[in-house]
Amino acid sequence: MPGVGPDGVMPIDSIEDDFMRKKEEMYRVAKDCLVVIDNLPKIGPEKYEKLVNKLTPMFEKSARMRRDEQDAPRLTFVRADNGSTLGFALAEYITPEEAAKAVASLHNFQLDRSHRFWVCTAGELERLQSIKEEFVPPPPLPVTLKNRPNFKSWLLDERGRDQFMIRHNHETSVYWHDHIVKPQLDYAKVRWSDAGVVWSPRGTHLATFHERGIKLWGRVTSADGTVDWSIVMRFEHPNVSLVHFSPCENYLITFNGTEPERDDKRNPRAIIVWDILTGKKKRGFMGPPRAMIGPDGTIPWPIFQWSHDDKYFARLGENIIYVYQTPDMGLVDRKSMKIPNVRGFAWSPTDNIMAYWTPEVNDSPARVTVVELPSKEEIRQKALFSVSSIVLHWQQEGKFLCCKVDRLTKSKKGQFTNFELFRVQAKDIPIEVLEYKEKDIVNAFGWEPQGHRFAVIHGYSDKPGRTDVSFFTMEGIVGELKPLCTLENRTANQLRWSPKGRFILLAALGSPNGNLEWYDVNDATGKEAAEPVGSNQHFLCNEVQWDPSGRFVASFVTCWRNSNENGYVIWTMYGKELCRVGVDMLYQFAWRPRPPSMLSAKQRKAVKKTLKTRKEKYEREDKDLKDSVSSGKAAQRKAQRDAFSAFRSQTMQLLEREAAKRQAAIATYQTTEDEKETITEVVETVISINTDIDFSKKLLTSDDERD
């Protein structure tokens, strides 16, 4: 036992050290439990009781407070000798966690026009008071911290390759993708995760699921070039089933499925928001109510939706939208958005703008409303009648908002679809309408990620089996929606735009044939019968994914839908097959996302000017690699011959260096047999030589690929 002497008695010095250590720990905990509330009203003794009665319930509601012998909260409003308050109070909570919850709840609370609370713990106040008035720059970082791991080293690949992850059997593997050679394994681990794995939005981290919580991993390249994946952060949250990253990778939301009836309202554990950098818990939330859970037990995920800059995250409730702000995790303006009968909402991908919709109630029409945050100011609204449901689709650049509106016919027995298209970045946000008739069946919709076009897959109830794909553009005069072209009689039921726009993949997912068609929308525009730039099939394919560069696409068959033909195929943007890999029990395939480009518009323009020169350089590198791959076996044989030649040369040099020693050793050895020496000479005579040559066979050379 540490600190215990040979006689089993702890020395006095050890007892004192242990006592002082525990005493300091008690002081630290006590300071973290004590909360200071500043900027309270300064009043005279005649209004003191009124102030106490007003603020005490508020402080008690924020978190669980410590009580005295009379069961009264330990709350002190500091006063002067004449009985008037000094403008601050001290509140004691039962644990540091409860105190932190009170700080998050009370800080920046607007009591009236003149009083906004400033709240912190006594420990934090002591730290702030210890800061010197004069700024002293911190000392330079030690070498060990300067050389800390770079988890984005994968972006420095010489060939600019992307990575992808597959999860199969009990193994998770990360591969490099190169269009010249087959996928090369970067890292693999058995039982890396107990369930699925999830890339962070910018590809920095890989999240794995475990019984006790979530682990974040990062790829590290050491000085000698070896690659390893190390743990970046752990988040202890037992039995997590779902995770959701914020767009800028600052926060992580985990959900373990705890039902609200079984959760603790004071300290909810169903949903937790974590700070990724520090690993600290920011706040806990209750799980979704039973009314939001589907009949098959599915939960609408993500429950929280993030703004593009991680400043806000919102959650849909009954007749309400809760909008929280970071980093304090409190409600914006300490008020939720009360919206009767609200059914759904979506954030703009580029601005702090939210769109939500409400259904028809009695004589009130359905509405789509666009509001700006944090002011919650309404900037556009559209009333709609005979609405069954609405789905909100934001364009990736935040320029347009599409509301897919399923509407009822006059008889209420049929439905038809309209698209309400908002030009969000135009003055007064004009709206354009694309209408489909009752016989038209809309199967899919998709915005061009970087552009102004969109595509719609639609069929006809009076023509079973026929499916068309139509393209439209929002470019040009405001109020003018232009049709571009229609691809008739397609078999596709899903469309996937390239991340860079222009190219689109039409896929028949889930069908036996798995037809895939690639189109260049620029070339298809204006043509009555546009031809695909590439077409192919992937038997039983149930999903497709473009890589971040927009140059390649992967189709795959997972065991969730079919236990046969599991594997993936990687294609070019023109539909040319690059590789086909069969994988037993394939659970998951996912390209590694890339962070946003750091180049400005001016820099991108400069790169495009030199694109021809750069293209020639990369094509030359690709050709050299392709030539080396095509002559791989010959190169291997040549390497073996070179290695043997080098070994022979070294041996001959060694033989020459030791010749004198060998001669001296031979001179000392004599063979005698009755003082006679027998010499045997063998003479061979060549009588004749016959050579047969088969000119139909080619002689092997160093460049031949045959074994």
Side-chain angles (χ1 to χ4, degrees), residues 651-700:
T651 305
M652 293 299 295
Q653 293 176 6
L654 179 63
L655 188 65
E656 292 177 1
R657 288 197 303 268
E658 296 180 351
K661 297 180 181 179
R662 205 166 39 254
Q663 290 292 339
I666 293 175
T668 59
Y669 177 77
Q670 296 180 353
T671 303
T672 56
E673 183 180 349
D674 297 333
E675 297 182 354
K676 294 181 180 179
E677 182 179 357
T678 302
I679 299 176
T680 304
E681 182 179 356
V682 179
V683 179
E684 296 182 355
T685 303
V686 179
I687 300 175
S688 63
I689 298 176
N690 295 326
T691 303
D692 296 332
I693 300 176
D694 187 354
F695 292 96
S696 63
K697 295 184 178 180
K698 183 180 178 181
L699 296 178
L700 289 175

Side-chain angles (χ1 to χ4, degrees), residues 284-323:
F285 294 91
M286 303 285 285
R290 293 187 178 273
M292 293 184 63
I293 301 177
D296 56 349
T298 57
I299 295 173
W301 188 259
I303 295 176
F304 287 93
Q305 296 187 33
W306 289 91
S307 63
H308 74 287
D309 55 2
D310 287 8
K311 286 186 177 180
Y312 308 101
F313 61 106
R315 175 181 185 175
L316 181 66
E318 187 175 355
N319 301 321
I320 202 170
I321 296 179
Y322 302 96
V323 183

Side-chain angles (χ1 to χ4, degrees), residues 19-222:
F19 174 77
M20 294 303 297
R21 185 171 58 254
K22 291 183 178 180
K23 183 179 179 181
E24 291 176 0
E25 177 67 16
M26 290 175 62
Y27 278 147
R28 186 190 64 79
V29 172
K31 287 186 289 187
D32 289 341
C33 292
L34 185 64
V35 173
V36 182
I37 306 102
D38 196 10
N39 202 24
L40 299 179
K42 295 181 180 180
I43 59 173
E46 67 279 358
K47 295 184 179 180
Y48 176 75
E49 293 297 331
K50 183 177 180 181
L51 179 67
V52 171
N53 294 334
K54 181 178 180 180
L55 296 183
T56 300
M58 183 187 305
F59 298 156
E60 286 185 292
K61 187 178 179 181
S62 63
R64 290 180 291 175
M65 298 185 65
R66 194 177 296 277
R67 303 268 173 176
D68 57 17
E69 293 78 3
Q70 288 76 32
D71 197 32
R74 291 195 175 183
L75 176 64
T76 303
F77 291 84
V78 183
R79 295 194 287 175
D81 295 338
N82 60 0
S84 60
T85 61
L86 297 179
F88 68 95
L90 303 175
E92 190 174 353
Y93 292 85
I94 61 174
T95 63
E97 290 75 19
E98 292 295 316
K101 188 188 300 184
V103 171
S105 176
L106 297 174
H107 186 60
N108 282 330
F109 177 76
Q110 190 76 40
L111 183 64
D112 52 40
R113 290 184 178 181
S114 304
H115 299 89
R116 181 189 290 271
F117 292 169
W118 188 91
V119 186
C120 72
T121 62
E124 179 68 9
L125 181 61
E126 183 179 5
R127 186 189 68 82
L128 294 175
Q129 290 176 336
S130 65
I131 298 176
K132 298 180 180 179
E133 293 292 335
E134 183 181 355
F135 173 72
V136 178
L141 293 174
V143 177
T144 54
L145 294 181
K146 283 185 177 179
N147 298 332
R148 56 187 175 184
N150 176 18
F151 295 112
K152 294 187 178 181
S153 61
W154 62 280
L155 294 171
L156 303 177
D157 180 64
E158 294 182 354
R159 289 186 53 78
R161 298 175 296 177
D162 281 300
Q163 290 188 328
F164 64 87
M165 172 276 304
I166 63 172
R167 192 168 62 89
H168 56 102
N169 286 325
H170 301 293
E171 184 176 338
T172 302
S173 308
V174 179
Y175 286 88
W176 288 106
H177 165 65
D178 195 307
H179 65 286
I180 301 298
V181 299
K182 291 184 178 180
Q184 298 177 341
L185 181 66
D186 180 57
Y187 188 81
K189 189 172 183 178
V190 177
R191 301 191 184 279
W192 198 352
S193 176
D194 295 342
V197 292
V198 179
W199 290 112
S200 60
R202 298 184 176 184
T204 308
H205 307 304
L206 185 71
T208 58
F209 293 74
H210 306 274
E211 183 179 356
R212 294 186 59 184
I214 298 296
K215 292 180 182 179
L216 290 192
W217 301 75
R219 183 182 187 272
V220 181
T221 305
S222 60

